[in-house]
């Protein structure tokens, strides 16, 4: 079996990143493509001198030509259904210590490279799972993945698929969204409104047409931390989506919340989420608009806030867009600093992996200077422990944030 595996031969000197256990093999590192391999096949990676190094999924359409699943070239059964099941089970076990059903019933189960499964994302929302298959290898194994998930989570009724977006396009894969599998006879779950609880805040997740897999689980712990600071404060939640930070702040005793997003469905979801938490009459102003323009308008109208949350979408999706993205981050953060009352707090985030934490801090520091404010960093934010980062693949760290206070 193993001898039948097609071989991908690396160019001379290109073994170094594999020796550091980095799982991506770029086009420039490939001396010869695996003969006869179809997209998504498991291939053996060999050095320029023919030494077997690893087993990887072949992605001929992508700049990342192969993604390593095992750095042991002799490991049996790699990418088989039992192997996938055991890797997902290990990923879930890793999260056990962070999983507290009383206050929490949603978490990321598999985070791609961070769990040794490059190209696979699985989010758990109470009795439903949502998967994203972002590599040709996992795309071809969707039924094995669904079977493994239903086996591993006996209280899950359905597995939904949200395989879409730029990462799929770069793999040469079409979008695929819809029901992937369901458990016969299980309790019915409405995939467009899956009720979840995170730190006591109830929301409904729309697996079919919500953003990403329906929700931004990576911010769960940060919302709770920010909410704990909000008692009595006048809060601006910019890029609020379905209200994660707004709800956490209201729960923390915020005096008022202004929730801003460009998307009307996001604001409609926020309003429904307020009602779910008995907060339908809370002092919340929903503003639909472009944040860059709206923050300027607020500045010109001399509006001010005690706490501003800035959580923009990914502004740089590649290294080539970093400079432009940094200008946009600086613009937003400068405006946010200007809107803060004396003693105010800014919780500012970037989910662009291409903008590293040091660069983001520099941009925020420059924004404070341009706004004419003395500011200090009180704390740093990251992605939650259910979004682990392989130490050998720092590209997996994408979400970072700073909590700043101004004089
Ligand atoms: N803070 C949210 C996640 C935000 S995701 C949470 O905790 O769950 C980014 C949000 O920014 C999305 O809801 C998107 O609709 C919104 N958005 C994107 N571009 C925008 C813009 N230019 N102005 C305002 N909102 C924007």
């Amino acid at each position: 079996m193993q001898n039948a595996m097609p071989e991908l031969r690396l160019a001379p000197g290109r073994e170094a990143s594999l020796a550091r256990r980095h799982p991506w093999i770029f086009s420039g590192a490939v001396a010869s493509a695996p003969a006869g391999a179809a997209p998504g096949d498991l291939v053996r990676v060999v050095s320029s001198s023919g030494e077997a190094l690893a087993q990887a999924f072949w992605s001929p359409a992508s700049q990342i030509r192969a993604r390593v699943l095992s750095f042991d070239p002799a490991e049996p059964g790699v990418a088989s259904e039992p192997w996938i099941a055991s890797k997902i089970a290990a990923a879930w076990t890793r999260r056990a210590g962070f999983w507290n059903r009383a206050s929490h019933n949603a978490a990321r189960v598999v985070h791609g490279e961070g769990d040794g499964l490059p190209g696979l994302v699985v989010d758990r929302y109470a009795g439903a799972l949502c998967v994203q298959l972002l590599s040709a290898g996992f795309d071809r194994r969707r039924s094995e993945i669904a079977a493994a998930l239903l086996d591993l989570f006996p209280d899950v009724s359905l597995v939904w698929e949200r395989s879409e977006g730029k990462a799929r396009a770069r793999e040469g894969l079409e979008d695929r969204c819809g029901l992937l599998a369901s458990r016969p006879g299980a309790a019915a779950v409405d995939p467009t409104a899956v009720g979840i609880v995170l730190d006591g805040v109830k929301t409904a997740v729309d697996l079919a047409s919500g953003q990403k897999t329906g929700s931004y689980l990576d911010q769960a712990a940060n919302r709770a931390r920010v909410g704990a600071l909000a008692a009595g404060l006048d809060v601006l939640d910019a890029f609020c989506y379905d209200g994660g930070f707004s709800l956490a702040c209201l729960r923390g005793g915020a005096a008022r919340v202004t929730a801003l997003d460009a998307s009307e469905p996001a604001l409609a979801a926020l309003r429904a989420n307020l009602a779910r938490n008995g907060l339908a009459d809370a002092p919340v102003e929903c503003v639909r608009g472009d944040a860059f323009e709206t923050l300027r308008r607020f500045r010109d109208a001399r509006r001010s806030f005690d706490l501003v949350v800035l959580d923009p979408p990914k502004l740089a999706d590649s290294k080539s867009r970093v400079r432009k993205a940094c200008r946009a981050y600086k613009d937003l953060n400068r405006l946010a600093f200007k809107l803060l009352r004396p003693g105010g707090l800014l919780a500012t985030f970037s989910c662009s992996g291409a903008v590293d934490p040091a660069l983001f801090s520099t941009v925020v520091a420059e924004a404070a200077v341009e706004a004419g404010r003395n500011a200090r960093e009180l704390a740093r934010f990251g992605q939650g422990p259910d979004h682990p980062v392989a130490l050998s693949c720092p590209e997996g760290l994408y979400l970072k944030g700073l909590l700043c206070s101004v004089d």
Side-chain angles (χ1 to χ4, degrees):
M1 171 78 192
Q2 243 177 51
N3 290 335
M5 218 188 280
E7 275 188 6
L8 180 164
R9 188 172 290 254
L10 295 176
R14 299 307 287 261
E15 314 69 35
S17 92
L18 242 70
R20 291 194 301 270
R21 296 191 165 239
H22 195 289
W24 298 343
I25 298 170
F26 285 96
S27 56
V30 178
S32 64
D41 273 355
L42 190 69
V43 300
R44 190 200 315 274
V45 183
V46 302
S47 69
S48 55
S49 60
E51 185 197 353
L53 300 173
Q55 302 180 55
F57 276 149
W58 175 233
S59 284
S62 169
Q63 277 304 101
I64 302 179
R65 287 284 201 278
R67 290 179 174 78
V68 173
L69 294 191
S70 174
F71 289 95
D72 175 358
E75 183 179 349
V78 172
S80 64
E81 184 175 330
W83 185 91
I84 292 173
S86 75
K87 294 289 277 191
I88 297 177
W92 186 239
T93 303
R94 201 169 287 140
R95 287 149 171 81
F98 302 103
W99 178 256
N100 165 4
R101 274 203 83 90
S103 67
H104 240 74
N105 63 7
R108 179 152 289 189
V109 176
V110 176
H111 185 57
E113 284 76 359
D115 287 301
L117 294 166
L120 178 63
V121 168
V122 182
D123 284 340
R124 175 166 190 185
Y125 298 113
L129 296 168
C130 194
V131 305
Q132 285 188 307
L133 309 174
L134 304 173
S135 70
F138 284 121
D139 185 69
R140 266 179 42 191
R141 290 165 179 85
R142 58 167 47 73
S143 55
E144 290 91 328
I145 293 164
L149 288 169
L150 285 178
D151 240 30
L152 183 63
F153 297 102
D155 48 349
V156 154
S157 300
L158 63 86
V159 182
W160 196 265
E161 177 171 3
R162 280 297 287 278
S163 298
E164 59 186 356
K166 287 190 184 147
R168 289 270 300 181
R170 283 196 288 261
E171 283 281 305
L173 299 168
E174 310 258 291
D175 289 353
R176 274 190 69 158
C177 302
L179 185 67
L180 185 54
S182 59
R183 190 185 304 283
V189 170
D190 175 1
T192 66
V194 183
I196 63 164
V197 188
L198 287 172
D199 294 301
V201 173
K202 295 179 208 144
T203 58
V205 178
D206 183 348
L207 305 178
S209 47
Q211 298 184 19
K212 293 279 173 90
T213 64
S215 176
Y216 293 89
L217 290 170
D218 50 2
Q219 286 284 26
N222 300 332
R223 292 183 199 123
R225 283 175 71 190
V226 171
L229 302 167
L233 302 188
D234 191 349
V235 178
L236 169 62
D237 179 7
F239 306 93
C240 61
Y241 186 42
D242 63 352
F245 281 100
S246 298
L247 290 157
C249 288
L250 290 167
R251 199 179 150 79
R256 244 178 83 82
V257 171
T258 303
L260 164 62
D261 204 281
S263 152
E264 182 50 43
L267 294 173
L270 182 153
R271 288 186 202 99
N273 285 333
L274 287 171
R276 260 180 208 101
N277 291 276
L279 293 166
D281 298 324
V284 177
E285 180 195 357
C286 290
V287 179
R288 183 181 164 206
D290 171 64
F292 294 85
E293 284 171 17
T294 309
L295 295 189
R296 281 195 165 69
R297 191 157 55 73
F298 285 179
R299 178 201 59 191
D300 295 344
R302 304 207 176 282
R303 284 190 66 168
S304 61
F305 301 89
D306 304 307
L307 167 61
V308 174
V309 178
L310 275 188
D311 185 21
K314 196 193 308 186
L315 298 178
D317 59 5
S318 68
K319 288 218 168 91
S320 62
R321 304 246 161 83
V322 166
R323 280 172 72 97
K324 195 162 168 238
C326 283
R327 280 199 292 277
Y329 282 122
K330 201 202 276 188
D331 189 31
L332 282 173
N333 281 278
R334 189 188 63 250
L335 290 164
F337 276 123
K338 282 196 180 270
L339 292 175
L340 283 175
R341 292 178 190 148
L345 294 169
L346 171 65
T348 179
F349 297 90
S350 159
C351 61
S352 304
V355 175
D356 67 44
L359 177 58
F360 185 60
S361 296
T362 303
V363 169
V364 175
E366 288 172 2
V369 169
E370 288 185 12
R373 305 299 296 257
N374 287 328
R376 62 196 61 73
E377 173 188 319
L378 303 180
R380 286 186 180 218
F381 302 106
Q383 55 210 55
D386 53 343
H387 291 61
V389 183
L391 293 179
S392 59
C393 184
E395 292 89 341
L397 173 73
Y398 65 99
L399 179 64
K400 60 263 159 206
L402 296 175
L403 178 68
C404 302
S405 80
V406 296
D407 289 349

